[in-house]
Amino acid sequence: MVEKQTRGATRGPGRPREERVTRAVLDAVVALVAEQGMHALTMDAVAVRAEVSKPAIYRRWPTKQDLIIAAAESRIGPLSIPDLGDFRAELRAVLTARLEVYRTPGMARLISGVFGAAAEAGSGRDAYQAYINRGMGETGRILERGIVRGDVRPDTDIRTTATMVAAPLVFRLVAEQEMPDSHLVDSVVELVARAVGVQR
Amino acid sequence: MVEKQTRGATRGPGRPREERVTRAVLDAVVALVAEQGMHALTMDAVAVRAEVSKPAIYRRWPTKQDLIIAAAESRIGPLSIPDLGDFRAELRAVLTARLEVYRTPGMARLISGVFGAAAEAGSGRDAYQAYINRGMGETGRILERGIVRGDVRPDTDIRTTATMVAAPLVFRLVAEQEMPDSHLVDSVVELVARAVGVQR
């Protein structure tokens, strides 16, 4: 139902080795963070774990910040939710897809690390901004489609609502330090639907 | 209107030196993070900046994680919002008080650092949990008071709603990497009020 495009896939075919290195490195980042924590994430450790050379890593990701953002993006990536005829069902599809990712080991650490990297870095900033915009973008499109369809109020503040859809699962995970679950997804969808849905 | 109790204040009078050291250390942490970033936060740098001995720091905060959490708590601390006769006004008071704190320099870094510390640490966990619970607790009390008063729906999911109130400002700051503003506060209050308010 939900189509996920990884960053590697957008590079197209014909570069299988390139893709294999990218995947090996990003998998190594996620594994190291999950198993040992962010402090274990050194370029040396990633190179050993991924069985690639350090220059091969630096060529793609000049800083550790870039690497953390790319690793998170490889997991959380953009989403494309088809028209399901009901914005509630579409928001639930977005949040259910996110939930699945957030529940994989190490994601609280990785996402905290991404926020930290973005807060510190000047360098990784553009990549980070693109990553965040893609994440929020699909919710924005769902709301706009709902306005056209007529099940979302036309005066809806798209930006704030997208933030209110995206924020609770991440907050539950990294701020409340608890695993978000399907109950939270259902409650968020219900509350958002009451706030911006056209009363039927 | 909004009463803020700092952690130091709860220790009561009679320990002015103790309090002065606490304040100097936590101020030094916030200043270092704001000016130079989380990587500059070493026990040595804090000791120099605060003009206290390292043992004086370690005695109070055994790990850097504890120190980061305490510094954030000294700024974000608990809130006590009086009964304003309207849960919307009370939620706005909570979020406006938070907004003021989030807009001080270095808060994006400090809050990202807190999440990172909480994700990594076993040690700082209890302090962190207490800090988060206090933060969410006031919103919970406001919603419960609203249910009794009759302006909040009695079937309101307090926990999820508290998350949905707390999450957007923090998410705007640390995930979207943008400064939250009073427009966001107004929009969040309006959306939450539509979701859980009794229709009048």
Side-chain angles (χ1 to χ4, degrees):
Chain A
M1 185 174 74
V2 173
E3 212 182 314
K4 192 177 157 208
Q5 279 208 310
T6 65
R7 198 182 187 188
T10 63
R11 294 195 174 153
R15 304 181 72 180
R17 199 191 111 69
E18 182 78 4
E19 249 185 64
R20 206 162 51 232
V21 170
T22 296
R23 180 163 318 180
V25 169
L26 299 183
D27 286 352
V29 170
V30 173
L32 280 169
V33 170
E35 290 164 18
Q36 295 173 53
M38 200 54 79
H39 65 273
L41 195 68
T42 63
M43 288 295 197
D44 285 299
V46 173
V48 168
R49 180 87 178 218
E51 298 178 1
V52 302
S53 69
K54 281 212 289 181
I57 301 176
Y58 280 114
R59 214 169 29 242
R60 293 168 178 83
W61 303 281
T63 70
K64 205 166 90 170
Q65 270 79 20
D66 296 326
L67 198 53
I68 293 169
I69 291 168
E73 196 183 354
S74 74
R75 295 310 191 264
I76 300 178
L79 277 176
S80 176
I81 307 290
D83 188 336
L84 301 175
D86 173 19
F87 86 98
R88 290 163 191 80
E90 292 167 19
L91 290 184
R92 182 170 289 109
V94 168
L95 292 179
T96 301
R98 293 285 182 243
L99 183 65
E100 210 174 299
V101 178
Y102 295 155
R103 292 179 68 88
T104 59
M107 286 310 294
R109 286 172 173 173
L110 194 62
I111 294 176
S112 302
V114 169
F115 294 160
E120 301 296 326
S123 77
R125 212 84 192 229
D126 288 352
Y128 179 78
Q129 206 56 54
Y131 154 69
I132 278 290
N133 290 345
R134 268 198 300 276
M136 312 272 294
E138 188 58 18
T139 299
R141 280 188 291 278
I142 287 171
L143 294 169
E144 278 158 9
R145 193 157 61 201
I147 292 174
V148 173
R149 187 193 293 124
D151 59 354
V152 173
R153 292 167 60 131
D155 64 348
T156 295
D157 178 339
I158 303 273
R159 170 88 198 273
T160 303
T161 308
T163 298
M164 289 195 70
V165 170
L169 271 67
V170 173
F171 190 88
R172 180 67 51 92
L173 183 68
V174 304
E176 297 178 54
Q177 293 285 321
E178 245 178 69
M179 202 53 93
D181 58 17
S182 63
H183 170 74
L184 180 62
V185 168
D186 290 342
S187 300
V188 169
V189 170
E190 194 192 323
L191 288 169
V192 170
R194 277 202 231 139
V196 306
V198 170
Q199 302 305 320
R200 290 179 293 193
Chain B
M1 185 175 75
V2 173
E3 213 183 312
K4 192 178 157 205
Q5 278 208 310
T6 64
R7 199 183 187 185
T10 62
R11 294 196 172 150
R15 305 181 73 179
R17 200 192 110 69
E18 182 79 4
E19 249 185 63
R20 208 162 49 234
V21 170
T22 297
R23 181 164 317 181
V25 170
L26 299 183
D27 285 353
V29 170
V30 173
L32 281 169
V33 170
E35 290 164 20
Q36 295 174 53
M38 201 53 79
H39 65 274
L41 195 69
T42 63
M43 288 295 197
D44 284 298
V46 173
V48 169
R49 180 87 178 219
E51 298 177 2
V52 303
S53 70
K54 281 212 290 180
I57 301 176
Y58 280 115
R59 210 165 35 237
R60 293 169 177 82
W61 303 281
T63 70
K64 206 167 86 169
Q65 270 81 20
D66 297 325
L67 198 53
I68 293 169
I69 291 168
E73 195 183 355
S74 74
R75 294 312 189 264
I76 300 178
L79 277 174
S80 176
I81 308 289
D83 188 336
L84 301 174
D86 173 19
F87 86 98
R88 290 163 191 79
E90 293 167 17
L91 289 183
R92 182 171 288 110
V94 168
L95 292 179
T96 301
R98 293 286 182 240
L99 183 66
E100 211 174 297
V101 178
Y102 295 155
R103 292 179 67 89
T104 59
M107 286 310 293
R109 285 172 172 172
L110 193 61
I111 293 176
S112 302
V114 169
F115 294 160
E120 301 296 324
S123 77
R125 213 84 193 232
D126 288 351
Y128 179 78
Q129 206 55 54
Y131 154 70
I132 278 291
N133 290 345
R134 268 198 299 276
M136 312 273 295
E138 189 57 17
T139 298
R141 279 187 291 278
I142 287 172
L143 294 168
E144 278 159 10
R145 192 157 63 201
I147 291 174
V148 173
R149 186 194 294 123
D151 59 355
V152 173
R153 292 168 60 133
D155 63 348
T156 295
D157 178 339
I158 304 274
R159 170 89 196 273
T160 303
T161 308
T163 298
M164 290 195 70
V165 169
L169 271 67
V170 173
F171 190 88
R172 180 67 53 91
L173 183 69
V174 304
E176 298 179 54
Q177 292 285 320
E178 245 179 68
M179 202 53 94
D181 57 18
S182 63
H183 170 75
L184 180 63
V185 168
D186 290 342
S187 300
V188 168
V189 170
E190 195 192 322
L191 288 168
V192 170
R194 276 202 231 136
V196 306
V198 170
Q199 302 305 320
R200 291 180 292 193

